[in-house]
């Protein structure tokens, strides 16, 4: 277990499962169409913007062209950045929480009694995403990799930005086992609360 997590565990908290994202191709079956459409739209928009700007003035501003090109490069690079980020994530289920440890050592968690539902999203034949918290079901269905990289948190909360309203464990080979573990843990937590 990581030292970063050991420092973050609450007193008496026990890790029941830990895992990482399985290698998922950049242009997986599920993401390919969305990524290609995003790239095509970006290239059309950038070409149109530069074309309109260059016809409207005598000389194309180098700063404007650089800014537009930078924005386009970021949009085009986003799938690689998301994949790189996801491949560095570590996931944990304890007896009290579901915890996500990011590549940059940020920690996000959901207490098990706050997980209102769990949903499995098929990514490819051998790996799934596990979505916790119905508040992000729609987002996770459309953009599971993005939502995995950007856990939903309440920025206004006094409890801190590490407490999530929704988490995605992305690219799990044993998603069925983890889903059953979470469902069992969530029902145990609710039974104890009653």
């Amino acid at each position: 277990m990581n030292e970063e997590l050991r420092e973050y565990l609450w007193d008496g908290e026990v890790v029941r499962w830990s895992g990482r994202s399985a290698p998922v191709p950049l242009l997986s079956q599920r993401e390919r169409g969305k990524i290609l459409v995003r790239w095509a739209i970006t290239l059309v928009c950038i070409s149109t913007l530069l074309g309109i700007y260059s016809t409207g003035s005598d000389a194309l501003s180098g700063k404007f062209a650089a800014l537009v090109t930078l924005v386009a490069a970021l949009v085009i690079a986003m799938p690689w950045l998301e994949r790189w980020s996801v491949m560095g994530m570590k996931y944990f289920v304890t007896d009290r929480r579901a915890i996500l440890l990011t590549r940059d050592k940020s920690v996000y968690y959901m207490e098990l009694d706050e997980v209102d539902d769990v949903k499995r999203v098929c990514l490819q034949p051998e790996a799934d995403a596990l979505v916790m918290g119905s508040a992000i079901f729609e987002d996770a269905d459309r953009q599971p990799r993005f939502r995995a990289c950007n856990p939903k948190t309440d920025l206004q909360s006094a409890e801190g930005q590490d407490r999530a309203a929704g988490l995605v464990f992305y690219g799990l080979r044993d998603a069925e086992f983890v889903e059953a573990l979470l469902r069992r843990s969530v029902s145990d937590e609710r039974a104890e609360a009653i």
Side-chain angles (χ1 to χ4, degrees):
M1 176 177 20
N2 288 344
E3 289 301 317
E4 299 92 359
L5 183 67
R6 188 167 295 155
E7 294 171 14
Y8 197 74
L9 288 176
W10 295 341
D11 289 338
E13 191 171 17
V14 177
V15 176
R16 292 185 174 167
W17 173 87
S18 66
R20 302 184 73 135
S21 293
V24 178
L26 176 70
L27 295 175
S28 65
Q29 184 95 13
R30 181 178 179 82
E31 300 285 329
R32 180 179 299 131
K34 295 174 193 173
I35 291 172
L36 293 176
V37 167
R38 187 180 321 155
W39 287 348
I41 290 171
T42 300
L43 292 175
V44 167
C45 289
I46 296 307
S47 300
T48 304
L49 265 174
L50 290 174
I52 290 171
Y53 185 80
S54 64
T55 59
S57 69
D58 294 336
L60 183 63
S61 167
K63 290 180 184 176
F64 178 76
L67 178 65
V68 169
T69 304
L70 177 65
V71 169
L74 285 173
V75 170
I76 290 171
M78 192 56 66
W80 280 283
L81 295 173
E82 287 175 353
R83 184 177 182 276
W84 177 77
S85 179
V86 162
M87 296 312 298
M89 291 182 177
K90 297 174 184 162
Y91 310 113
F92 304 90
V93 176
T94 72
D95 56 341
R96 297 180 182 166
R97 300 181 291 170
I99 303 171
L100 174 125
L101 178 64
T102 66
R103 181 180 288 277
D104 69 354
K105 308 301 182 227
S106 297
V107 178
Y108 298 93
Y109 73 90
M110 284 185 76
E111 290 187 41
L112 295 180
D113 61 350
E114 293 176 351
V115 176
D116 61 341
D117 204 357
V118 179
K119 180 178 182 179
R120 196 163 15 126
V121 177
C122 182
L123 300 175
Q124 59 181 3
E126 61 273 358
D128 294 334
L130 202 57
V131 183
M132 288 160 272
S134 61
I136 64 168
F137 279 2
E138 187 177 330
D139 282 351
D141 277 341
R142 288 184 286 126
Q143 303 174 337
R145 198 177 334 197
F146 172 80
R147 187 45 67 193
C149 295
N150 301 284
K152 182 175 178 128
T153 58
D154 182 6
L155 299 176
Q156 305 299 321
S157 172
E159 297 172 2
Q161 295 178 358
D162 56 350
R163 189 177 203 142
L167 288 176
V168 175
F169 288 2
Y170 189 88
L172 301 181
R173 292 183 194 270
D174 55 351
E176 190 173 332
F177 169 78
V178 180
E179 180 183 23
L181 175 65
L182 279 168
R183 288 190 186 283
R184 190 170 50 251
S185 298
V186 166
S187 65
D188 290 348
E189 285 288 322
R190 289 192 180 135
E192 288 177 17
I194 296 174

